Amino acid sequence: MRLNSIAGVIDRRILVNYRVDPDVLARRLPPPFRPQLVAGYGIAGVCLIRLKQVRPVGLPPWLGVASENAAHRVAVEWDEGGTTLRGVYIPRRDTNLRINVWLGGRLFPGVHHAAAFDVHETAQRYTVRVMSDDGRMRLDVQVTKSDSLPADSVFASLEGAAAFFLNGSHGYSPGATASQYDAVELNCEPCTMRPLAIERIESSYFDDRRTFPAGTIAPDCALLMQDVGHAWSRLPELCCPDEQVASLETAQRVAK
């Protein structure tokens, strides 16, 4: 049995975003994806999302479960049938809910890794620390509520930033083979995003200078969503030709 849709409530969603040299970011993306650019930069980051009342569509909310989750994501675009499509590529998901680990990628798209979350919240400040059980992912984020985006953000306005991330509703993550990607669509009730000031962001992935050399990546902005009804829906898997995968693997070996 495979679920086609699940529903719930986004209790809290923090998007912490980086602006990245597009050539560096492109080398981290598998085909057919390429970076979606804003003001000449690629956009990557982490989604820290607390969900509640999550259950298969049709079941009552009281049967739902709650969880803390982290997803590394990159805004991408690709060509299909002569049309340029946009979404997000999600190389890794982590969660504190074991059922997500057991069923992710099987019953519903999206492989999840087990992790411990340490969360502290006040009326103005959010602190989230994450350590994966496999030791491969560490995050330490501290943000505070703000009235505006940073002056050096690549986004010209809060409205533009909110529209950019809300429109990136199609998510793709590694599937069973190198040329196949699991896909989901996030549908949210109408909501407002508010800006956050980044006080601290430490990421074992984005701070790795072998992957992102000094000067090629910088924190850009952070956004907050709260108390939003949502549904995740399964999309058809995305596949790319095996020769594209082989070409990427060859290019990565040469780059090393």
Side-chain angles (χ1 to χ4, degrees):
M1 183 181 71
R2 305 179 77 188
L3 294 176
N4 289 321
S5 187
I6 57 176
V9 174
I10 297 173
D11 189 38
R12 179 265 296 137
R13 185 188 192 197
I14 298 170
L15 292 171
V16 184
N17 308 298
Y18 293 83
R19 54 183 181 271
V20 190
D21 180 292
D23 293 331
V24 171
L25 192 57
R27 291 197 290 269
R28 310 310 305 173
L29 291 173
F33 304 117
R34 60 181 180 267
Q36 184 180 351
L37 303 186
V38 177
Y41 289 93
I43 304 297
V46 180
C47 172
L48 298 167
I49 187 168
R50 181 169 61 230
L51 303 173
K52 62 182 183 181
Q53 300 177 2
V54 176
R55 74 280 181 191
V57 168
L59 294 182
W62 62 268
L63 284 176
V65 297
S67 62
E68 288 278 0
N69 307 272
H72 287 71
R73 35 186 279 144
V74 179
V76 296
E77 60 184 27
W78 66 99
D79 298 323
E80 188 174 305
T83 301
T84 297
L85 303 178
R86 294 183 173 89
V88 292
Y89 175 64
I90 305 166
R92 182 175 173 111
R93 290 183 174 91
D94 291 86
T95 182
N96 70 346
L97 187 65
R98 295 291 171 173
I99 193 171
N100 287 348
V101 178
W102 296 332
L103 300 182
R106 299 180 180 90
L107 190 64
F108 197 73
V111 173
H112 288 70
H113 302 269
F117 286 70
D118 182 17
V119 180
H120 299 275
E121 299 180 2
T122 68
Q124 294 296 319
R125 177 174 285 113
Y126 301 85
T127 302
V128 183
R129 298 182 178 92
V130 189
M131 174 66 78
S132 66
D133 288 8
D134 62 14
R136 300 182 62 184
M137 193 281 292
R138 290 178 290 102
L139 281 171
D140 187 352
V141 174
Q142 184 167 289
V143 292
T144 57
K145 291 181 179 177
S146 178
D147 295 324
S148 61
L149 295 177
D152 62 351
S153 172
V154 298
F155 295 99
S157 67
L158 173 61
E159 293 75 18
F164 178 87
F165 291 106
L166 288 173
N167 288 336
S169 60
H170 290 192
Y172 296 85
S173 55
T177 68
S179 60
Q180 174 186 307
Y181 305 99
D182 290 341
V184 293
E185 179 179 15
L186 173 61
N187 292 294
C188 294
E189 295 176 350
C191 64
T192 299
M193 283 193 179
R194 67 174 301 167
L196 297 167
I198 302 172
E199 294 189 343
R200 181 175 65 249
I201 171 65
E202 298 176 7
S203 162
S204 57
Y205 180 66
F206 292 114
D207 293 343
D208 186 345
R209 292 299 165 250
R210 296 167 299 179
T211 303
F212 299 100
T216 66
I217 185 169
D220 185 85
C221 65
L223 299 167
L224 173 69
M225 297 169 59
Q226 291 178 293
D227 197 26
V228 180
H230 77 286
W232 300 93
S233 300
R234 180 189 297 273
L235 293 175
E237 295 170 343
L238 176 65
C239 298
C240 69
D242 289 338
E243 58 267 22
Q244 289 188 23
V245 177
S247 297
L248 175 71
E249 292 175 343
T250 299
Q252 288 177 335
R253 285 196 298 270
V254 171
K256 291 178 180 179

